[in-house]
Every structure is written in structure tokens, then in C-alpha cells.
Amino acid sequence: MMKINVGRIVEGKSFDIVGISYIGAPKSNTAMFISKKVEHLLAKLENVDKCLIFAEHQTKIPSFLAEKHAFHFSEKPQLAYARFAVQFAEERFTEEKALRYTLTAGGYYVSEDVNIPDDAYIEPGCVIGPDVQIGENAKILAGTIVRHSTIGNNFLANENAVIGANGFTMAEDEAGNKLRIPTLGRVIIGNNVEVGTHDNISCGSGGDTVIEDYVKIDALVHLGHDVFLQKNVEITAGGIIGGFDSLGEHSYVGINAVLRNRINVGEKAIIGMGSTVTKSVDAGIIVAGNPAKVFEKK
């Protein structure tokens, strides 16, 4: 497991950081950032331990949180966090480069840290690993790439899907240049999930991308980082789901619909074909259009 001792960042502290998380849902021994305007989210740190928090100057930190966590203050906490994440990603990449890949008799490559169940079916041209766990009766068709993912039973990935791709999150440095924030989370997939041809599923940036049981995803779909698809979500061809979106159980996304980042879609809601969704959608509602509005039959 990749580790960075927090003493490299904050003097007087000594514990290991093993990953990243989001200040709204923090995990112990992870790094994150917070701005002063959302300092109320510091309360989320009460139930976790030994986190590294990149905080904006003037953020008020309760003394008991300062004792059990490590805080690094700056004018641009997202940039400071991004630089830490780049360092973490580089060290993880160095570890992963040392892993040996084997070309199997079935014509696919598998990393040495991956165990493939005996009943899995994987076609030629696939790459599996690093940091992958695959459930029973998986079917992974030609050309698919899987990285940093846990996959449940009875999984189907159609041709040329990418599961565990880099997300698209940026910070700006002091000169205004773009700096990619590495996606250090994972993809967690439940049982009986289907992924379509040429789908792109990003790893989590502030946590994990989660796809629950019985989700069905058609071809040419993009899932951004930290998306949460609850049970029985259906996304048809060409759908684009922005980062941190959450789709409730049995919700449906029509062909070529686009959902902006950080919105919630309620259970059994329907997003019409070609819609551009810019606001959260309540449970059981049908929306359509650009921008999407509540659909009323006439």
C-alpha cells in the first residue's frame, strides 16, 4: 500500500497518509482540501482520524481537530492539495511500474497483483491491472482496460471499455497555468452490472466512483469521477454523466443526454433523449429539453 508520512508536509506530525478523500465525506488517513467558505464541513472530521487537510488561511480550526489531524495552510488550498496529489501519484506510479505483466494464453495482459477467478472469461487484447479485483463469472470482451477497480459477480464489459480511467479535474498555479489533479480513488462495481462498448468510467477523485448492483450502461457513455449510480440505473447510448453526480435507483438516462457535474437525480426519474440537465431532478419526475425542464403531456 502506498504511504506518505505527513511529517513531510506538516512539522510536528507523524502518521501515514494512504489515500485521498473529500471534506464532505472524509476517511481516516487521507488527504483533502477545504476553503474558508465551507469551513462548516470541518465538523465531518470529528469521526475520522489522522487526516491531512490543506486549508485556506483564516479557516478556524477547533483545537481538538488540530490535535488529531494535520493542517497545512495556504492562500490556494486546492493548488497545495494538487501538488501533494501529484507527488502521491508519482510515487504510486513508481511502485506500479515495478509490477510485472503477463501475456496469458488467452491473449490478454494481467498484472501480477491481480487474481483472475477460474470462471472468468477474458478476450484477447484486454489489460487487467494494476489494483484490480474481479468477481465470479465475469465476461470482459476484447480490448477492454481495467485499472484500480473492484468488480462484483456476473459482470459484463463489452468491447473496448475503459474502467478506471483518469478523471478530469484541474487546479491553476500561481501563473494561471493548468495543473491536473490526479484521480487517486478507485471504481467500485457491484453484481450483475453491464458496461457498454467504448464506455469510459473514471476513477474517483475525492473518493470512489461507485456503481451498484444491476446497473446497465449502453455504448459510448462517459462517467465522470466520483459518480454514484444506485441499483438498477439505466444509461442509454451516448450519455455523459458529470463528476460527483448521483443517480437514484431505477432512474433512466435517455440517448445522448448530458448531466452537468454535482447534481442529484432521484429514484425512478427519467431524463429524456438529448436533454441537457443543469439542475437536480426530483424522484419520479420526467425532464427533457435543453436546458431540461419538467415534461408535461399535452
Side-chain angles (χ1 to χ4, degrees):
M1 177 184 292
M2 177 63 209
K3 299 177 182 178
I4 289 182
N5 191 278
V6 76
R8 292 163 58 174
I9 312 296
V10 179
E11 187 176 354
K13 297 286 185 177
S14 183
F15 52 81
D16 289 331
I17 298 300
V18 300
I20 50 85
S21 64
Y22 164 56
I23 189 64
K27 299 176 183 179
S28 295
N29 295 96
T30 61
M32 65 208 73
F33 69 92
I34 186 171
S35 62
K36 181 171 174 53
K37 68 180 179 180
V38 293
E39 67 179 17
H40 63 278
L41 291 176
L42 287 168
K44 300 284 188 178
L45 295 170
E46 294 180 16
N47 298 320
V48 295
D49 297 305
K50 298 180 178 179
C51 292
L52 171 60
I53 302 96
F54 294 89
E56 189 173 6
H57 285 309
Q58 311 304 320
T59 303
K60 297 178 181 179
I61 310 299
S63 58
F64 75 97
L65 291 180
E67 289 179 7
K68 70 173 185 172
H69 299 296
F71 288 85
H72 178 277
F73 294 93
S74 68
E75 292 182 3
K76 294 185 175 183
Q78 185 189 40
L79 176 59
Y81 165 81
R83 285 174 169 155
F84 170 82
V86 168
Q87 178 186 3
F88 196 101
E90 285 298 323
E91 295 193 21
R92 187 178 76 169
F93 182 63
T94 298
E95 288 187 355
E96 291 177 351
K97 282 197 303 183
L99 294 172
R100 184 179 68 251
Y101 280 78
T102 299
L103 177 59
T104 68
Y108 62 88
Y109 287 92
V110 60
S111 172
E112 65 179 294
D113 65 340
V114 176
N115 292 317
I116 306 294
D118 292 338
D119 61 357
Y121 172 73
I122 303 176
E123 290 188 340
C126 294
V127 178
I128 311 297
D131 184 28
V132 171
Q133 300 170 22
I134 296 177
E136 297 176 357
N137 196 37
K139 296 179 179 65
I140 301 176
L141 304 189
T144 290
I145 298 172
V146 186
R147 296 190 176 101
H148 299 292
S149 300
T150 295
I151 294 172
N153 300 330
N154 305 314
F155 174 69
L156 171 61
N158 286 285
E159 293 85 352
N160 297 306
V162 178
I163 302 164
N166 287 322
F168 194 76
T169 307
M170 303 293 155
E172 287 190 352
D173 67 14
E174 292 82 357
N177 297 315
K178 299 295 183 182
L179 174 67
R180 174 181 287 276
I181 301 177
T183 39
L184 297 170
R186 307 181 76 247
V187 178
I188 310 297
I189 297 178
N191 299 322
N192 303 293
V193 170
E194 296 184 14
V195 170
T197 299
H198 290 287
D199 286 349
N200 183 88
I201 300 175
S202 302
C203 282
S205 176
D208 296 321
T209 297
V210 178
I211 301 173
E212 291 191 338
D213 298 348
Y214 292 98
V215 169
K216 309 299 181 186
I217 305 174
D218 199 358
L220 300 169
V221 169
H222 172 77
L223 297 187
H225 61 84
D226 301 275
V227 162
F228 179 29
L229 305 183
Q230 298 181 37
K231 292 180 180 179
N232 289 293
V233 166
E234 184 179 354
I235 303 175
T236 57
I240 298 177
I241 313 299
F244 285 108
D245 283 353
S246 176
L247 278 64
E249 293 188 15
H250 291 278
S251 57
Y252 174 91
V253 178
I255 295 171
N256 285 336
V258 177
L259 280 65
R260 64 155 291 171
N261 63 311
R262 295 183 181 273
I263 64 172
N264 298 318
V265 175
E267 65 178 23
K268 298 183 179 179
I270 296 175
I271 310 300
M273 179 176 65
S275 298
T276 300
V277 183
T278 60
K279 300 178 182 179
S280 292
V281 178
D282 291 336
I285 298 296
I286 301 173
V287 298
N290 182 9
K293 298 179 180 179
V294 175
F295 178 77
E296 298 179 2
K297 293 182 179 181
K298 297 182 180 180

